[in-house]
Amino acid sequence: MSRHLVPTVIPPDLYGKHDHDPTTRVLDAVANLRVRWSTLINRRPIATRFDDARFPVVITDRALVAEDQAVISLGLRAPDGRALPRWAPGAHVDIELPSGRLRQYSLCGDPAQVAEYRIAVRRIPHGGGGSIEVHDELPVGTEVVLRGPRNAFPFAPPGRGSPAKRLHFVAGGIGITPILAMARAADRLGIAWTLVYCGRSRDTLPFLDELAELTGRVLVRTDDEHGIPGAPDLLDGVDQDTAIYCCGPTPMTAIIAAAVRTMPGVEFHSERFSPAPVIDGTAFEVELAGTGEIIAVDADQTMLDALLAVRPDQPYSCRQGFCRTCVVRVLDGTPEHREAVLTSEEHAAGTMLACVSRCAGGRLTLDL
């Protein structure tokens, strides 16, 4: 069981790229006789083979859902109109884009609507290209393939799997997507809930109109009006027996996790946007068997990032060790596996994930 070090202040760039994601699960529980201490849960998938359902859907609706026109909502239905696989709040799907890119997006619609999924995507001009493709190249009528749904950010409402008595949601920018489904579920179940919704400005925040229709207490806090939020702002009203669900950039989840460690009786569940930093890494080299190229991987750098510097077309998606898109085969050397999705047989066959795993020696030779 590990504990990640977290900063005590939020840097100015709080609402950055949404790489989903989704990430690691850490259960950090401290028990003391009669007191239930804080539980910290960060996203990490259960170890499963990557054989989720794969099925076609058609884009049936496109709508701008933020005033800055940088966030679009897509409605997705089966070509023959049949019911789609069921899902629960917090779930996401993988979408195979026409370019071959694979991206994960949270389902932000209503789980009761079995005929349609809904996702929302913020345009990231300098990202990996997936969001631009969704915005510019997926008109209504386009057919794409989905995988999933899968849920690495499960929602356990009070009385239905959680001892908490109330819920507190924190969303940063596009992080509202899984939180919206959770808030809607809490509303339907009659559970008391609050939400702090943060962003650079109100015009960047999607779904404000839908949140206004729910009965929970929603506090919209923007940097241009209120400044960069701290833990007291993000945890406004949180007390004992509260379950916190947070989706947003890593600095946001980190500062909340640090605060929650000092709050007895509070649960914390989070989904982060970006990969966790490399912890206890050492430098090593990667040799590409096909060309003989030698690539240096720094101690604080992922092998995937080093590969992308010389092979920009190297496939990847989640960057957090669960989607398997960046799988590579090792011909020589000893991998240091830092994921929980590959089987022991796959490890024995030399399979590893470039986004999180490393080298236990000085060099790996890859079948590339």
Side-chain angles (χ1 to χ4, degrees):
M1 196 163 302
S2 62
R3 181 184 294 258
H4 295 296
L5 297 177
V6 295
T8 56
V9 295
I10 298 181
D13 189 14
L14 187 64
Y15 312 104
K17 178 180 177 182
H18 188 181
D19 269 340
H20 227 37
D21 52 83
T23 60
T24 60
R25 173 179 305 186
V26 177
L27 176 60
D28 185 356
V30 183
N32 184 352
L33 295 177
R34 305 169 66 92
V35 179
R36 179 169 57 86
W37 292 92
S38 306
T39 298
L40 308 180
I41 305 174
N42 284 328
R43 175 177 178 173
R44 181 173 185 174
I46 298 172
T48 58
R49 293 186 61 86
F50 191 57
D51 54 2
D52 304 70
R54 185 175 180 273
F55 52 95
V57 294
V58 174
I59 297 172
T60 57
D61 178 71
R62 283 174 59 101
L64 291 167
V65 290
E67 291 181 12
D68 68 354
Q69 301 188 356
V71 182
I72 60 170
S73 170
L74 300 180
L76 309 169
R77 290 178 175 262
D80 58 3
R82 72 176 61 185
L84 296 170
R86 292 188 174 274
W87 61 283
H92 69 277
V93 291
D94 302 345
I95 180 170
E96 297 179 8
L97 299 174
S99 66
R101 296 182 178 98
L102 181 68
R103 294 292 184 265
Q104 289 80 34
Y105 296 108
S106 294
L107 292 169
C108 57
D110 187 345
Q113 300 296 324
V114 296
E116 182 180 67
Y117 288 163
R118 184 173 65 161
I119 62 174
V121 182
R122 172 167 288 283
R123 185 185 184 95
I124 308 296
H126 305 294
S131 68
I132 293 176
E133 184 174 356
V134 172
H135 275 248
D136 296 348
E137 302 177 30
L138 297 186
V140 170
T142 302
E143 184 173 300
V144 294
V145 173
L146 297 186
R147 303 182 190 180
R150 291 177 288 148
N151 201 329
F153 187 33
F155 177 57
R160 303 192 178 197
S162 169
K165 295 179 180 178
R166 59 184 298 272
L167 298 169
H168 181 71
F169 302 113
V170 182
I174 197 66
I176 193 63
T177 48
I179 298 298
L180 179 61
M182 294 181 183
R184 188 181 291 112
D187 223 43
R188 186 171 292 162
L189 293 170
I191 299 169
W193 62 273
T194 53
L195 165 66
V196 176
Y197 188 12
C198 301
R200 293 190 175 94
S201 60
R202 288 186 70 94
D203 66 347
T204 66
L205 300 179
F207 303 122
L208 287 175
D209 54 344
E210 294 189 30
L211 288 169
E213 297 173 357
L214 303 179
T215 61
R217 183 173 65 86
V218 179
L219 172 63
V220 177
R221 182 184 175 89
T222 58
D223 298 351
D224 59 349
E225 295 182 13
H226 308 96
I228 303 296
D233 307 305
L234 299 172
L235 301 178
D236 180 44
V238 171
D239 53 20
Q240 191 171 357
D241 297 323
T242 299
I244 302 168
Y245 287 83
C246 172
C247 183
T250 299
M252 170 180 281
T253 59
I255 198 170
I256 296 177
V260 169
R261 288 191 177 103
T262 67
M263 302 171 68
V266 174
E267 295 177 17
F268 179 45
H269 309 257
S270 73
E271 182 174 47
R272 70 179 98 193
F273 283 179
S274 56
V278 175
I279 302 296
D280 297 329
T282 56
F284 62 97
E285 293 180 337
V286 170
E287 180 178 355
L288 307 187
T291 63
E293 292 174 273
I294 306 296
I295 301 171
V297 182
D298 294 335
D300 59 352
Q301 183 184 33
T302 68
M303 185 169 74
L304 175 62
D305 285 338
L307 287 172
L308 288 172
V310 297
R311 294 278 186 94
D313 59 345
Q314 181 69 23
Y316 72 94
S317 187
C318 77
R319 305 180 73 117
Q320 300 177 59
F322 71 89
C323 78
R324 298 172 59 109
T325 305
C326 67
V327 65
V328 293
R329 190 163 71 91
V330 179
L331 300 178
D332 190 39
T334 304
E336 178 189 329
H337 296 288
R338 295 191 175 193
E339 39 72 28
V341 298
L342 299 179
T343 65
S344 56
E345 292 80 8
E346 288 173 316
H347 286 169
T351 302
M352 70 180 297
L353 299 186
C355 65
V356 293
S357 294
R358 303 187 66 78
C359 177
R363 179 180 292 187
L364 294 174
T365 301
L366 303 182
D367 187 17
L368 292 175

